[in-house]
Amino acid sequence: MNNVEKVLKRKLNEDSEIAYPDFDEMWNRMEQVGYTAPTLTDASDSFTPHQHRNWRKIAIAASLSALLVAVPVYAAIHYNWGNLLHGRSGIETALAQDLGQPLEQSVTKDGIKLTLHTAIVDENRTVILYSLEVGKRADNEFWNVKGVSLKNAAGKSSEGEYSFQQWDEKNQRYNGYFESDWTPQQETENVRLTVDHIELTSVQELDLPLDITSPQKQTFRLDRNGLQDMKVQVFEQGKDKLMLSSAITFDSSIPKEWDNPQIIAYKDGKPVNPQSGGTFGTPGENGEYTAQQYFTKGDIPEGQTTFKLQYAQTEKSIHEPLNFDLQLSKKKMESGTIKSVLNTPLENGNPNFMLEQMIVTPTQIRVTIRSEKKFAMLPYQKYFLSVNGTTLEGNRWSSPDQDHDLNTIRFERPAHLAITRDTPITFTGKYKVTTHSDDKTPQHLTDISEQKQTITTQIGGYPVKWTYYKQGADLFVETESEDTHFGGINQTHMGLGKERMIGKPITANFAGDGNNKAVDAYKNFKGKEASIYMFYYTTDEPEAETSVPLQPLTSNSQASK
């Protein structure tokens, strides 16, 4: 699998997925209190194909004919999907129990055949399995179905949609699935699935003579496919970690024909795996495509490493929306569905976060947590369910139309895990992160020049080192602490009120990631002194946890710490 494909497939199954940040939650929270930093979005496009045709009622005159018609449907439901569903154990469980709804609808356009095989519909989500047959393709090419959505008869579109697909070498086709938060309001509901377009993309590379020993901003002329130039700056992140901060400008007069650009490091001709935590697609001040990537220093030694810009270039696009009218049902799932009202605090005696509801279906368990304030960050970063002795790890899920004070934790349901209303279930949150916004003490920076200078201050009882310096016309302010219980400063600003100047974050740090170093830049700074304020900082308690019995739930149920 090439690296661009890996980027396009970030929204992998959540049991094993890389922890990519919840940009919407973070920036919505900041905007809510008046912060004006650029909005971040995860620019990785979902890797998705689907299409549907209406079922035709066919009268079967003979039992043999009925058998022949039934065979492909059975085969589709029981098709070996390989590791496509790795991390989607609940979907595998539903398929094994014949809880899928057969579709077997195909459409062919310009020689590309898209087949919908099976729908899995319950009270928590809708998943549709599909295959995409494209014929011959080059090793550096891949097809993608773009803009898939569900809409009910009232015209309301579904939210929280994404998809994932992978190449099936044996059968020479793509296998994939589309997943949505949409579920029927009744037992059965008519919906329209729309595919916006199908796209062929190829992987392209450009040489980058990057000097990783230089702290200066380096500019590379690209002049290809509308990509104009790329600026890269290298920042040290501790003793053995480097961050590559990049920004690409493009010719707006040329239609966008590229996607997911990133820097690839090669050592001895083989790509180097970057560290986790990279972000892609942050909009720059002038519309640049920006990214942050992290590498271990020892993996990219000077003189032995070459760098390339890798991106996906659009080669062909079938621009014709395809609409499919479907009738989806959750009837098969109802007998295995349990809904429970919880209304119990996440932490004993703390009403700021309340466990509100649990929905158990044959594929998944969802627990919702409502906060007293909108955009409030959940205090715990890791979530687990103990189900009659079996431990499940959950992932936070956020959809665009979800209430800003509501958080959803999803747990895939493995096979052979029986659950009734009497099954003991306990919810546990681990790794507590606390936000502190009451420290408004400014840090005074003096004798500002191109020479790096440091001061150490106490914040919340933790030693925090401030490093500041100018590069060109810009002032850079770095903050970090040797105490790992200090989570980091989210963002800084100069001055107060309407005249304040907000620092532009160069790094993208997220709660519980173990990295407390942050870098802010102040463009076109003039002067020799500055007073820097924090918006807020966080503290980490990796050992802290809270446990709440969810089922059987009694009036005595409460959180324990």
Side-chain angles (χ1 to χ4, degrees), residues 80-253:
N80 180 10
W81 292 96
N83 64 356
L84 174 73
L85 297 176
H86 175 66
R88 288 291 187 268
S89 55
I91 302 304
E92 293 180 295
T93 299
L95 292 173
Q97 297 175 356
D98 291 335
L99 296 177
Q101 177 183 337
L103 299 177
E104 289 310 306
Q105 303 180 47
S106 299
V107 64
T108 301
K109 183 69 175 177
D110 293 350
I112 307 302
K113 182 180 180 181
L114 182 60
T115 302
L116 299 179
H117 294 287
T118 309
I120 296 93
V121 185
D122 63 18
E123 201 66 42
N124 280 331
R125 60 180 168 181
T126 294
V127 175
I128 296 175
L129 299 169
Y130 67 85
S131 63
L132 182 69
E133 298 176 50
V134 299
K136 293 183 179 181
R137 68 170 191 127
D139 289 341
N140 72 325
E141 292 182 338
F142 54 90
W143 287 87
N144 191 8
V145 173
K146 312 279 280 187
V148 185
S149 62
L150 285 171
K151 184 178 292 186
N152 62 15
K156 184 178 179 181
S157 297
S158 58
E159 299 287 357
E161 302 160 341
Y162 74 96
S163 54
F164 170 65
Q165 75 177 31
Q166 62 183 198
W167 179 250
D168 181 346
E169 185 65 29
K170 179 180 179 181
N171 295 291
Q172 290 293 295
R173 71 181 194 183
Y174 289 102
N175 295 325
Y177 66 84
F178 164 73
E179 182 170 353
S180 172
D181 275 350
W182 177 88
T183 61
Q185 296 302 303
Q186 299 82 35
E187 183 180 275
T188 301
E189 190 167 347
N190 295 323
V191 297
R192 170 168 288 184
L193 186 144
T194 298
V195 176
D196 185 67
H197 64 282
I198 302 175
E199 192 172 82
L200 172 65
T201 316
S202 66
V203 178
Q204 304 292 325
E205 288 188 333
L206 290 171
D207 291 331
L208 285 180
L210 179 65
D211 180 5
I212 60 172
T213 64
S214 173
Q216 302 297 321
K217 186 176 293 184
Q218 302 172 57
T219 301
F220 307 99
R221 193 71 184 171
L222 304 177
D223 288 331
R224 183 189 290 188
N225 303 120
L227 302 175
Q228 284 189 331
D229 59 50
M230 182 177 192
K231 293 180 173 60
V232 183
Q233 193 163 9
V234 181
F235 294 90
E236 291 191 0
Q237 298 279 287
K239 296 180 180 180
D240 59 354
K241 185 177 181 180
L242 292 178
M243 182 188 73
L244 307 185
S245 177
S246 61
I248 296 176
T249 58
F250 53 93
D251 186 346
S252 59
S253 66

Side-chain angles (χ1 to χ4, degrees), residues 317-422:
S317 186
I318 302 174
H319 272 286
E320 183 177 335
L322 302 172
N323 296 316
F324 304 91
D325 295 321
L326 305 172
Q327 188 176 78
L328 298 179
S329 172
K330 57 184 178 183
K331 182 178 180 180
K332 288 185 176 182
M333 301 289 193
E334 288 183 341
S335 62
T337 298
I338 302 171
K339 293 183 179 181
S340 302
V341 177
L342 303 175
N343 289 335
T344 187
L346 175 62
E347 296 179 310
N348 191 24
N350 181 2
N352 292 331
F353 296 93
M354 298 291 291
L355 295 167
E356 186 172 85
Q357 185 183 43
M358 177 175 66
I359 300 178
V360 179
T361 72
T363 75
Q364 195 180 73
I365 303 172
R366 290 198 182 192
V367 177
T368 55
I369 305 174
R370 192 173 293 277
S371 59
E372 191 174 52
K373 298 179 180 179
K374 291 184 177 181
F375 307 104
M377 183 175 69
L378 287 179
Y380 293 91
Q381 305 305 303
K382 299 178 181 180
Y383 307 94
F384 303 88
L385 281 184
S386 176
V387 183
N388 202 23
T390 298
T391 300
L392 309 178
E393 185 170 359
N395 291 273
R396 188 169 55 186
W397 174 262
S398 178
S399 61
D401 63 347
Q402 183 171 288
D403 294 344
H404 295 308
D405 58 351
L406 190 68
N407 295 273
T408 301
I409 313 299
R410 312 194 317 175
F411 302 85
E412 287 293 316
R413 184 170 173 177
H416 312 302
L417 182 62
I419 301 177
T420 68
R421 289 192 177 275
D422 296 323

Side-chain angles (χ1 to χ4, degrees), residues 21 24 37 75 89 142 167 257 261 295 305 337 441:
D24 288 337
S89 55
F142 54 90
W167 179 250
E257 295 182 348
F295 290 90
T305 308
T337 298
T441 305

Side-chain angles (χ1 to χ4, degrees), residues 448 470 473 475 494 501 522-530:
I448 296 172
K470 288 192 70 174
L475 170 65
M494 289 185 189
M501 180 186 301
Y522 291 88
K523 298 292 184 180
N524 300 314
F525 175 79
K526 297 178 181 179
K528 293 291 185 178
E529 297 184 356

Side-chain angles (χ1 to χ4, degrees), residues 233 235 445-451 453 467-478 492 494 501-504 506 519-532:
Q233 193 163 9
F235 294 90
L445 311 184
T446 60
D447 298 324
I448 296 172
S449 67
E450 293 187 355
Q451 182 70 33
Q453 300 183 71
T467 301
Y468 58 96
Y469 53 94
K470 288 192 70 174
Q471 281 191 3
D474 303 335
L475 170 65
F476 288 83
V477 179
E478 302 179 2
T492 62
M494 289 185 189
M501 180 186 301
I502 298 177
K504 177 185 175 183
I506 302 299
V519 182
D520 285 357
Y522 291 88
K523 298 292 184 180
N524 300 314
F525 175 79
K526 297 178 181 179
K528 293 291 185 178
E529 297 184 356
S531 293
I532 305 294

